[in-house]
């Protein structure tokens, strides 16, 4: 079974390019053009990774959406690995992404310039998320002792 990815980006051309890259890389993908409907999809499907655009003019931006996902009551949803994509990286975006618990962030140009870009980014996101979850579990175990 293919790994399922949810990606949210308001740019139709980028969504088309990314959807094709994901398909070629062996992923199954659901795509949305805004934050509307994201929570509904997360409650109905099991995702390997979520890919969010930072800047979306309608509704929430990627950081706000990621924050809502991280605060979800269901731990299956709140711990899904999140990759944040942006056209530019600013220190404020990076700081806020780390506070929210976004696993990885990449500039869009690095994703589309090589066929391996999206695969590397998704797998790095998932690996970082798994390491974070393991570290949190170990910290809880040692606190209980």
């Amino acid at each position: 079974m293919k790994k399922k990815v949810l990606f949210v980006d308001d740019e139709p051309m980028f969504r088309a390019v990314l959807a094709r890259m994901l398909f070629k890389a062996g992923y199954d993908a659901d795509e949305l053009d805004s934050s509307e409907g994201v929570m509904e999809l997360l409650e109905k499907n099991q995702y390997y990774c979520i890919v969010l655009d930072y800047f979306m003019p309608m509704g929430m931006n990627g950081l706000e959406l990621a924050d809502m996902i991280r605060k979800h009551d269901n731990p299956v949803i709140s711990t899904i690995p999140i990759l944040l994509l942006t056209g530019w990286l600013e220190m404020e975006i990076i700081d806020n992404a780390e506070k929210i618990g976004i696993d990885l962030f990449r500039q869009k140009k690095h994703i589309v310039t090589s066929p391996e870009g999206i695969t590397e980014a998704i797998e790095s996101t998932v690996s970082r998320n798994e390491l974070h979850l393991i570290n949190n579990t170990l910290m809880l175990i040692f606190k209980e002792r």
Side-chain angles (χ1 to χ4, degrees), residues 101-128:
I102 289 175
D103 299 289
L104 192 68
F105 31 88
R106 289 281 191 264
Q107 286 184 285
K108 285 184 176 181
K109 66 182 179 182
H110 295 295
I111 296 297
V112 296
T113 53
S114 77
E116 299 81 26
I118 190 63
T119 302
E120 180 276 328
I122 287 173
E123 295 305 324
S124 291
T125 302
V126 171
S127 294
R128 287 173 188 248

Side-chain angles (χ1 to χ4, degrees), residues 29-123:
D30 288 335
E31 57 182 278
L32 292 172
D33 63 357
S34 71
S35 60
E36 190 174 315
V38 168
M39 298 314 287
E40 184 178 326
L41 282 177
L42 290 175
E43 290 172 5
K44 290 181 179 178
N45 300 289
Q46 187 172 354
Y47 290 100
Y48 182 67
C49 184
I50 303 168
V51 180
L52 301 175
D53 183 22
Y54 168 71
F55 182 74
M56 293 182 280
M58 296 172 43
M60 294 181 231
N61 67 33
L63 290 178
E64 294 164 332
L65 181 54
D67 191 44
M68 190 168 82
I69 293 166
R70 287 292 181 246
K71 290 178 178 172
H72 197 282
D73 292 337
N74 184 336
V76 172
I77 293 172
S78 66
T79 59
I80 299 171
I82 300 175
L83 168 62
L84 181 73
L85 299 180
T86 182
W88 63 95
L89 284 178
E90 295 177 5
M91 209 52 205
E92 182 181 356
I93 295 171
I94 293 169
D95 288 343
N96 289 332
E98 288 174 347
K99 288 176 190 169
I100 289 168
I102 289 175
D103 299 289
L104 192 68
F105 31 88
R106 289 281 191 264
Q107 286 184 285
K108 285 184 176 181
K109 66 182 179 182
H110 295 295
I111 296 297
V112 296
T113 53
S114 77
E116 299 81 26
I118 190 63
T119 302
E120 180 276 328
I122 287 173
E123 295 305 324

Side-chain angles (χ1 to χ4, degrees), residues 125-139:
T125 302
V126 171
S127 294
R128 287 173 188 248
N129 178 273
E130 290 171 349
L131 183 60
H132 178 72
L133 292 175
I134 289 169
N135 286 340
N136 282 347
T137 303
L138 290 173
M139 287 189 332

